[in-house]
Amino acid sequence: TRDLCSLMEGECACGRTLVRMSAIKGRSDDMLIIRGINVFPSQVESVLLEIPECAPYYRLVVDRVNNLDKLTVQVEVRQDYLSQVGFDTLSPITALEKKVAERMKNVLSISPVVQIKMPNSLERFEGKAKVVIDNRAKTWQDLFEEWTLLGPEATLNNYKEGENEVKNSVPPKTSLPVN
């Protein structure tokens, strides 16, 4: 099911000695790895729902700049807040960007770039929303990390020929002899 959890050994408080499963932390197909930190869209959503000035509509854009992953969180501002502060001044919007970025850093342990968007400017979806846009081209190292984290079957299912680009057309060197 691609749920992420851990198995706990040892005796339970009730005295049972069987292996137990921890609470589910998220899903591996929703997880992003940004600079070695696991980021789930649900974490971002929980932060945004705590901030009354933000609407519940957001988009996560992941880019790779100089071999470093960069996360940009685009979030819509609420119409009533925008009407209250006015359309002609940017200082409340800049302050809101800083507020959201600070809360994101506390929860995610990374510093994303926050962009405040106008109401109704982000695309709406029926059913499951596509909130993540991953612009990183996969490298062989990325595929290997995914392989070791999720296993070969999940990696092959995630990689569909023609949809995902792999940088460097030559795979990493192996220890197999060349004829």
Side-chain angles (χ1 to χ4, degrees):
T1 62
R2 296 189 187 196
D3 291 333
L4 295 176
C5 64
S6 60
L7 298 178
M8 302 178 296
E9 295 181 9
E11 192 170 314
C12 179
C14 68
R16 292 186 180 166
T17 57
L18 296 173
V19 176
R20 298 168 316 225
M21 184 177 85
S22 71
I24 296 174
K25 295 173 179 65
R27 296 184 51 85
S28 63
D29 55 351
D30 291 340
M31 180 178 67
L32 296 168
I33 300 176
I34 310 293
R35 289 185 240 141
I37 304 290
N38 296 345
V39 177
F40 294 93
S42 58
Q43 291 175 303
V44 173
E45 185 174 17
S46 69
V47 169
L48 296 176
L49 291 175
E50 292 174 0
I51 302 173
E53 299 90 349
C54 294
Y57 304 107
Y58 65 97
R59 181 183 306 144
L60 305 176
V61 181
V62 184
D63 293 301
R64 184 164 288 146
V65 179
N66 297 329
N67 291 327
L68 289 176
D69 294 336
K70 176 184 155 193
L71 176 64
T72 303
V73 178
Q74 300 173 343
V75 60
E76 284 186 12
V77 67
R78 288 192 185 274
Q79 179 68 42
D80 55 346
Y81 174 74
L82 197 57
S83 300
Q84 181 183 3
V85 298
F87 289 90
D88 55 347
T89 178
L90 289 177
S91 59
I93 300 300
T94 304
L96 180 59
E97 284 178 344
K98 288 180 182 178
K99 178 181 179 180
V100 173
E102 184 178 312
R103 291 220 185 143
M104 291 282 176
K105 183 177 181 180
N106 291 337
V107 172
L108 303 177
S109 301
I110 60 170
S111 299
V113 174
V114 176
Q115 296 176 343
I116 301 296
K117 299 290 187 180
M118 296 298 287
N120 301 315
S121 63
L122 295 177
E123 188 176 357
R124 304 292 195 263
F125 295 93
E126 288 186 26
K128 185 173 180 177
K130 184 175 181 198
V131 297
V132 177
I133 298 174
D134 196 344
N135 294 327
R136 301 174 292 185
K138 291 199 179 222
T139 64
W140 290 106
Q141 182 180 0
D142 294 332
L143 291 175
F144 178 75
E145 287 175 4
E146 188 175 310
W147 182 283
T148 56
L149 180 67
L150 302 176
E153 184 177 319
T155 302
L156 293 175
N157 289 340
N158 288 342
Y159 182 77
K160 296 176 185 170
E161 193 66 40
E163 288 184 16
N164 296 322
E165 173 190 344
V166 177
K167 283 186 184 175
N168 308 328
S169 59
V170 181
K173 293 181 181 178
T174 63
S175 59
L176 299 175
V178 178
N179 292 336

